[in-house]
Amino acid sequence: MQTGPDVLRDTDWTRTFHAYGSGADAPDHLAPLLTGDPGGSERALGYLYSAILHQGTVYSATVPAALFVAGILDRPALAAPATTPFTASGESAPLRQLLLGFLASAAEGALHCPAPGDQAPPEPPSEADLDRVYAALNAPDAAEDAEIWEDPVMDALMYRVGPDMRAAAPVLYEAVHPHLTHPDPVTRMHAVEAATAAARLGGFDPDLSGAADMAESRDEGAVIVLAVGQAGRDTAEFLAHADPAIRACAALAPSQAGNPAATDELAAALADPAAADAWFGRRPAYFPGHVRFTLARALAERAAPDDAERLLPVLRAMVPLSSTYVGAQDVGPLLRVAFPAAGEAGACRDLTAVQRAYLSALLDNDALWEGRIANFRVHLKGLGLPGDRVGISALAGV
C-alpha cells in the first residue's frame, strides 16, 4: 500500500470525496507539506481537519490523505512550528505533532464506521452509477448541489470508507511506530495516541514498550496507561500507583468498569475536580475537554441509583466549578444517577431527601443560572426537572 508523495501523485482524487465535495483539490492543498512552506503547511492542516476529517467524520478522501501523511512523518521539515484553529487552543506546535494528531483523529473517526458484520452492506453501485455520482461531485456547482449527498450511491460509498480505513490501519501504525521513541516527549505522546488508534482500528495489539521505557513525566505516563486501557488490557496494577492522575487513568479503562476499587478511584479524583483539571501540562487527547468531564461521565456510567447518596459529596465539589455552559457535562451525569426515571410520569413527585439535596446544591452557584445559554436548562428538562432556578428551588423545598 503506497504512502507519502506516491499517494499524492498516483491516486485518482476525482474518484474520492470529502465533506465539501470532490477530493480533486487534495493534491494542491496537501503538496505544501512537502515543500516546507509555512503558510501553505498551515492551510494544508486546515484542509485536513475541516474537509478531509470534518467533525470526526471520515470520507473516501480520508484514506489516501492519511496514507500520504503517514509517509512523510519522518521529514525533517516537519519539526517546524505551525498553528491551526482545529487543534487545542489554536496553539503553535511542530507540524509532525499536528499530523500525528490528524492520524489519531482519522483512525478514531473510522472506529465509528460500521465494523464487519454490524450491518448488511448496501448493494454495490454499478460503474455507470459511480460515473454519474463522481461527475456530479466534480461539477463546478457541486458545492451547491445538496441532492447528490442524498443519492443512495453516496451511502454505498460512505460504507466503503470503514473497510478501506481498516485495511490501511497496519500501514498507518507502522509509519507512526518509530515516533514512539522520538527525542521529544510531546511527539512521543502524540505517537502513542496515533499508534493506539490505528491498532484499535486494525484489531491488533500495539507495542508501546519503547514509549513506556522513555516516559519521564506524568503526562507521558497517563497517555500510556490510557492507551493500555483502550487496547483492552488490564490496568489494575496501576490503581495502586502513587500518582492520583495515573490511578484515575487506570480506572477509566473498560477492563475496570466492574471493579469497585476503580469506581472509588474516580470518585476520589472528583473530590477535588479543580486539581484533576490541572493534572496535565499537555492534556491527553482522551480528555476532549476538562478532565472532570470525562471522570464524571465514567463515574456516572458505572453508578446505580442507589449510589446517589454516596456521590452527593462529588456533586457538591463539582458545582462551584460549573456554569450554564458546561453544567450538562460536569454535574449533568451525576444528576442522571440521582434522577434515573427521567421522562416517566410523576418522576419529580415525592422526591427523596437525597434528590432534594442534589437540587439544593445546584442553587449554590449563580453561574449555573446566569445568561441566555440554555444548555444546562435543556439538560434539566430532559431529566423531567424544571429548567429554571425558581422551579428547582420550589422542588427542593428551599
Side-chain angles (χ1 to χ4, degrees), residues 22-397:
S22 172
D25 58 352
D28 287 341
H29 281 289
L30 298 179
L33 291 171
L34 300 174
T35 65
D37 169 46
S41 293
E42 291 190 358
R43 289 190 294 275
L45 285 167
Y47 176 77
L48 286 171
Y49 277 99
S50 60
I52 295 295
L53 181 69
H54 184 71
Q55 297 180 351
T57 300
V58 292
Y59 303 87
S60 62
T62 310
V63 184
L67 289 168
F68 163 70
V69 168
I72 66 171
L73 287 175
D74 59 353
R75 294 194 165 220
L78 296 186
T83 304
T84 170
F86 299 96
T87 55
S89 304
E91 296 175 353
S92 177
L95 271 168
R96 182 174 291 106
Q97 293 177 12
L98 298 175
L99 292 176
L100 284 167
F102 164 75
L103 291 178
S105 297
E108 288 285 348
L111 282 166
H112 296 290
C113 295
D118 283 353
Q119 65 183 55
E123 190 70 23
S126 67
E127 283 301 316
D129 280 336
L130 289 174
D131 290 342
R132 172 179 57 79
V133 165
Y134 285 127
L137 286 170
N138 285 281
D141 59 349
E144 302 174 6
D145 185 5
E147 291 185 6
I148 190 60
W149 293 98
E150 304 298 326
D151 194 299
V153 173
M154 292 299 291
D155 292 335
L157 293 176
M158 285 296 289
Y159 182 88
R160 288 184 182 178
V161 176
D164 289 347
M165 283 293 294
R166 288 185 174 88
V171 178
L172 302 180
Y173 174 83
E174 289 301 324
V176 168
H177 192 266
H179 300 282
L180 293 174
T181 54
H182 193 279
D184 175 65
V186 178
T187 301
R188 292 198 296 270
M189 292 171 65
H190 280 281
V192 167
E193 290 167 343
T196 302
R200 289 176 64 205
L201 182 63
F204 54 89
D205 198 22
D207 177 9
L208 305 177
S209 57
D213 289 342
M214 297 184 69
E216 55 190 27
S217 69
R218 165 189 278 179
D219 292 2
E220 283 193 88
V223 165
I224 291 168
V225 171
L226 289 166
V228 169
Q230 287 180 286
R233 300 184 205 164
D234 186 2
T235 59
E237 64 178 295
F238 298 106
L239 292 175
H241 199 280
D243 190 326
I246 301 299
R247 294 198 302 271
C249 289
L252 288 167
S255 65
Q256 301 306 312
N259 184 351
T263 303
D264 289 344
E265 193 59 53
L266 295 175
L270 288 172
D272 189 349
D277 284 341
W279 275 342
F280 306 113
R282 185 269 184 188
R283 189 175 66 233
Y286 186 92
F287 302 102
H290 290 300
V291 172
R292 70 179 190 271
F293 295 170
T294 301
L295 297 178
R297 185 178 67 250
L299 178 60
E301 288 173 350
R302 299 178 188 186
D306 290 345
D307 295 315
E309 184 172 6
R310 182 173 64 88
L311 298 181
L312 180 57
V314 175
L315 178 85
R316 286 174 171 158
M318 298 274 278
V319 166
L321 300 183
S322 195
S323 72
T324 187
Y325 293 95
V326 300
Q329 289 102 307
D330 49 20
V331 299
L334 297 173
L335 287 173
R336 193 169 292 279
V337 174
F339 296 90
E344 294 182 13
C348 291
R349 300 174 192 164
D350 302 321
L351 298 188
T352 67
V354 171
Q355 288 175 320
R356 288 195 295 272
Y358 267 70
L359 298 182
S360 295
L362 302 180
L363 301 172
D364 293 337
N365 183 2
D366 292 341
L368 276 170
W369 310 100
E370 293 174 344
R372 297 183 177 182
I373 302 298
N375 297 16
F376 184 56
R377 296 171 190 174
V378 170
H379 184 80
L380 289 174
K381 290 181 178 179
L383 294 174
L385 297 167
D388 62 282
R389 197 174 197 175
V390 172
I392 291 292
S393 180
L395 198 59

